[in-house]
Amino acid sequence: MKHFFLGHIYLELQLNEEGLKIYQHLMDKGFVKSSFIVSQVAMAYNNMREVYMTVNAFTELTKMDPNRLENMDYFSNTLYIKEMRADLAHLAHRCCDIDKYREETCVVIERKPRESRMGGPGSRGITPSLTFIVNNQILLLSNCTVLELQVVVWYCG
């Protein structure tokens, strides 16, 4: 337990090389299939700005645990930096399928390529304006986010 704690603290203090040594030691001792350790290794590479190693570690992590959303926002940032648009769009769709209201999913969707979003940059899918007729009353929605629109549609039935 001490080694897990020290590895986590080293990463929090940006002592990434020391953290990587501890996590590599734990992997050598039999924790190779631990998704937590693989995610911490990926985060260490991300903190060190080792882009290729980060992508490899996160790719291995998604193969190990396809339903994991923790730290996927950092993975999406790395994919965005490397301009891997197809992988980023695939990650966004996969995150939406798992849980579309999680914070990590919202961050991943923001980095999704512009062509596949409803709105402009930094908008979480802003729609220009929509008109609904609900119970013989006109409901005009302008510049609302997709999440707000989903709540309104759910409320209106």
Side-chain angles (χ1 to χ4, degrees):
M1 290 304 287
K2 173 184 162 186
H3 296 292
F4 286 99
F5 175 75
L6 286 176
H8 184 72
I9 291 299
Y10 282 152
L11 289 186
E12 287 293 320
L13 296 174
Q14 297 294 319
L15 300 171
N16 299 304
E17 291 84 10
E18 291 85 356
L20 269 176
K21 288 177 188 175
I22 288 176
Y23 287 125
Q24 289 297 334
H25 174 73
L26 288 171
M27 290 174 83
D28 292 340
K29 293 294 180 182
F31 289 101
V32 177
K33 295 185 180 182
S34 170
S35 62
F36 173 75
I37 291 180
V38 174
S39 72
Q40 292 297 96
V41 168
M43 290 303 298
Y45 286 133
N46 184 47
N47 292 342
M48 295 176 2
R49 307 291 191 250
E50 295 286 338
V51 179
Y52 296 106
M53 296 299 289
T54 303
V55 170
N56 291 338
F58 274 118
T59 303
E60 180 183 342
L61 180 64
T62 55
K63 288 178 184 174
M64 288 174 61
D65 189 3
N67 293 324
R68 182 184 177 98
L69 289 178
E70 289 81 15
N71 300 330
M72 286 300 124
D73 47 348
Y74 293 100
F75 184 35
S76 70
N77 185 42
T78 306
L79 293 175
Y80 182 77
I81 289 169
K82 283 192 67 177
E83 296 180 358
M84 298 174 72
R85 293 181 181 192
D87 294 332
L88 184 57
H90 178 70
L91 178 66
H93 286 291
R94 189 175 60 80
C95 289
C96 279
D97 288 343
I98 295 169
D99 187 1
K100 61 183 172 181
Y101 297 113
R102 289 266 306 260
E103 179 182 352
E104 291 89 352
T105 303
C106 294
V107 172
V108 170
I109 289 173
E110 280 298 315
R111 290 196 181 99
K112 192 173 170 183
R114 181 180 278 175
E115 302 87 38
S116 58
R117 281 192 281 174
M118 286 179 60
S123 65
R124 179 69 165 97
I126 290 183
T127 58
S129 63
L130 299 171
T131 305
F132 293 100
I133 299 176
V134 179
N135 295 335
N136 295 327
Q137 294 180 349
I138 296 176
L139 178 64
L140 176 64
L141 302 173
S142 60
N143 293 333
C144 64
T145 64
V146 172
L147 182 61
E148 292 169 343
L149 180 63
Q150 288 172 347
V151 170
V152 169
V153 170
W154 173 79
Y155 177 74
C156 294

